[in-house]
């Protein structure tokens, strides 16, 4: 049974001791600071231990060792540098789909910037009706709720904007190895490491809300991907060859997202255009775009400020808004 008063005390205790990892804090002094008795402090310490914080607990003292890599409210908020994105935050162990939860929160009036995170999804969705494999303790499944002031026709480019934020986030770990595959995939070393699913609720003229969902492969080993995905999927861990703290990665992503979104709201993709070109896995390549049963071929030459892929077809520039792209090998 959870005891809210004890949970509150545990959070206060944690806030004090985590500031100085390795230092012994005396229960007696802590008790005075937090206006509680030593037994209550010991119970709080037990609770922190249950929450998987690494602590050294002695009879009279407690020492903070390390936080867990769990996508909890306390951990994500600790050190989060954003102003709006993630300031309203919902964290879950298991959900069907964080995009669905974010849409429900939107219907109940959740504010712009609300973030929904889960450790595991049982019905994670990808684009084109695909499944997003979402096992626990390895990836990040996150949805960001936006209430943009702009018209619905500016919404599709939010996917590529998010891809830039993700690419910058990965780039801090594996500089030079990250690519964006238009319109919504982020690759590391030529394999997919993250996917983005943008879902819009709007009428003809006004956006009610947008949910941007990102599935981020952080610590999966090869075997944690289903066999059919192994040739095409990867994780950040496989590229950096060590485990990556998901909480740190998520905080960095949310901050990068906030910056990219602020620029996008003001100026569209103008500011990130050079970066998008640099990250693009398609520009300069002979590509094929499948829509239904037809494949149209040409050379990818740009991604414009509306997030459309510009393709050269026999000397004519054609703007593509959606579709499955593949590089044509000759
Ligand atoms: C794709 O590459 O097809 C997009 C994958 C998007 C997956 C994320 S995981 C968080 C959010 N919740 C979902 O059900 N889907 C998105």
């Amino acid at each position: 049974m959870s005891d809210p008063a004890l949970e509150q005390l545990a959070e206060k205790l944690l806030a004090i001791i985590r500031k100085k990892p390795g230092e012994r804090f005396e229960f007696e002094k802590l008790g005075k600071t937090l206006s509680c008795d030593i037994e209550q402090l010991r119970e709080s310490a037990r609770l922190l231990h249950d929450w998987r914080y690494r602590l050294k607990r002695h009879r009279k003292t407690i020492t903070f060792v390390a936080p867990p890599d769990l996508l909890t409210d306390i951990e994500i908020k600790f050190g989060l540098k954003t102003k709006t994105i993630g300031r309203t935050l919902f964290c879950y162990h298991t959900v069907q789909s964080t995009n669905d939860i974010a849409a429900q929160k939107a219907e109940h009036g959740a504010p712009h910037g609300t973030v929904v995170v889960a450790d595991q999804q049982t019905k994670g969705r990808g684009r084109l009706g695909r499944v997003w494999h979402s096992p626990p303790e390895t990836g990040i499944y996150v949805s960001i709720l936006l209430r943009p002031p702009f018209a619905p026709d500016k919404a599709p480019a939010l996917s590529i904007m998010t891809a830039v934020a993700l690419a910058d986030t990965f780039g801090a770990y594996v500089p030079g190895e990250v690519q964006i595959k238009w319109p919504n995939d982020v690759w590391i070393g030529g394999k997919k490491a993250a996917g983005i699913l943008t879902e819009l609720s709007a009428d003809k003229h006004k956006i009610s809300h947008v949910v941007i969902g990102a599935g981020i492969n952080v610590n999966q080993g090869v075997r944690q991907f289903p066999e059919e995905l192994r040739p095409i999927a990867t994780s950040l861990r496989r590229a950096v060859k060590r485990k990556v703290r998901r909480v740190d990665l998520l905080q960095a992503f949310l901050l990068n997202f906030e910056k990219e979104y602020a620029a996008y709201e003001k100026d569209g993709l103008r500011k990130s255009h050079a970066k998008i070109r640099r990250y693009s896995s398609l520009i300069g390549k002979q590509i094929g775009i499948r829509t239904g049963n037809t494949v149209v071929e040409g050379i990818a030459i740009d991604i414009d400020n509306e997030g459309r892929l510009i393709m050269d077809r026999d000397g004519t520039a054609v703007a593509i808004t959606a579709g499955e792209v593949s590089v044509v090998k000759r």
Side-chain angles (χ1 to χ4, degrees):
M1 272 275 287
S2 77
D3 172 351
L6 185 66
E7 284 181 7
Q8 251 184 29
L9 184 61
E11 284 181 33
K12 286 184 187 160
L13 172 63
L14 177 66
I16 296 175
I17 62 175
R18 78 179 307 163
K19 281 191 189 138
K20 292 185 179 163
E23 183 161 317
R24 282 177 175 233
F25 286 86
E26 285 173 22
F27 282 132
E28 201 159 319
K29 280 193 192 153
L30 287 167
K32 283 191 188 126
T33 314
L34 294 171
S35 312
C36 62
D37 62 41
I38 292 180
E39 197 37 50
Q40 286 171 315
L41 281 173
R42 288 205 182 105
E43 268 185 54
S44 306
R46 270 195 289 277
L47 192 55
L48 291 177
H49 174 78
D50 292 347
W51 291 348
R52 296 180 33 191
Y53 286 88
R54 281 178 52 214
L55 311 164
K56 279 188 193 145
R57 290 176 292 164
H58 299 285
R59 215 167 57 79
K60 291 187 171 180
T61 65
I62 181 165
T63 302
F64 180 84
V65 179
D69 183 20
L70 292 179
L71 300 171
T72 59
D73 186 274
I74 305 179
E75 279 313 296
I76 295 168
K77 285 214 165 134
F78 183 79
L80 181 65
K81 296 199 182 81
T82 57
K83 288 199 179 77
T84 49
I85 305 296
R87 288 295 147 195
T88 303
L89 177 65
F90 297 94
C91 299
Y92 300 90
H93 183 266
T94 308
V95 296
Q96 289 198 349
S97 156
T98 55
N99 267 29
D100 290 348
I101 305 277
Q104 284 160 19
K105 299 283 178 199
E107 298 302 334
H108 288 96
H112 173 83
T114 295
V115 166
V116 177
V117 188
D119 186 55
Q120 176 180 21
Q121 296 184 121
T122 52
K123 281 197 180 153
R125 284 200 304 279
R127 280 173 73 237
L128 310 168
R130 292 186 187 128
V131 168
W132 186 260
H133 183 65
S134 312
E137 302 220 352
T138 55
I140 299 174
Y141 316 107
V142 55
S143 298
I144 303 173
L145 166 65
L146 301 178
R147 297 189 182 277
F150 45 74
D153 60 351
K154 267 191 89 179
L158 287 169
S159 289
I160 203 92
M161 182 223 91
T162 306
V164 171
L166 267 173
D168 282 349
T169 309
F170 283 152
Y173 293 81
V174 280
E177 289 183 46
V178 184
Q179 285 185 309
I180 292 174
K181 179 173 175 260
W182 184 90
N184 75 321
D185 292 356
V186 185
W187 284 4
I188 301 176
K191 290 185 175 183
K192 181 160 169 171
I196 296 154
L197 178 68
T198 299
E199 295 179 316
L200 177 68
S201 165
D203 62 27
K204 216 166 149 208
H205 305 287
K206 200 175 167 351
I207 296 178
S208 156
H209 66 258
V210 184
V211 172
I212 302 177
I216 311 174
N217 299 338
V218 187
N219 284 323
Q220 286 92 336
V222 193
R223 277 153 205 245
Q224 278 155 311
F225 290 109
E227 220 168 299
E228 68 277 12
L229 291 183
R230 287 179 198 165
I232 51 170
T234 193
S235 68
L236 184 57
R237 176 190 181 174
R238 296 197 59 209
V240 290
K241 300 190 172 52
R242 66 172 168 84
K243 262 191 147 185
V244 172
R245 191 163 185 264
R246 290 179 301 165
V247 173
D248 296 343
L249 190 82
L250 178 61
Q251 288 171 336
F253 167 56
L254 296 179
L255 187 60
N256 286 331
F257 182 94
E258 183 165 280
K259 287 183 194 154
E260 286 300 322
Y261 179 74
Y264 184 72
E265 209 187 277
K266 205 163 149 252
D267 249 346
L269 292 175
R270 236 174 305 280
K271 262 202 171 153
S272 347
H273 187 241
K275 214 152 57 170
I276 292 174
R277 282 188 65 91
R278 221 172 31 245
Y279 279 134
S280 172
S281 64
L282 299 177
I283 290 178
K285 304 237 169 83
Q286 180 78 25
I287 56 165
I289 304 201
R290 175 179 290 280
T291 16
N293 279 337
T294 48
V295 177
V296 178
E297 283 197 20
I299 297 172
I301 52 173
D302 203 3
I303 290 161
D304 72 3
N305 284 337
E306 274 85 63
R308 298 174 304 183
L309 183 67
I310 310 298
M311 182 165 100
D312 179 341
R313 279 204 80 200
D314 305 323
T316 309
V318 183
I320 313 287
T321 46
E324 271 300 273
V325 188
S326 52
V327 171
V328 178
K329 289 187 186 117
R330 293 195 189 280

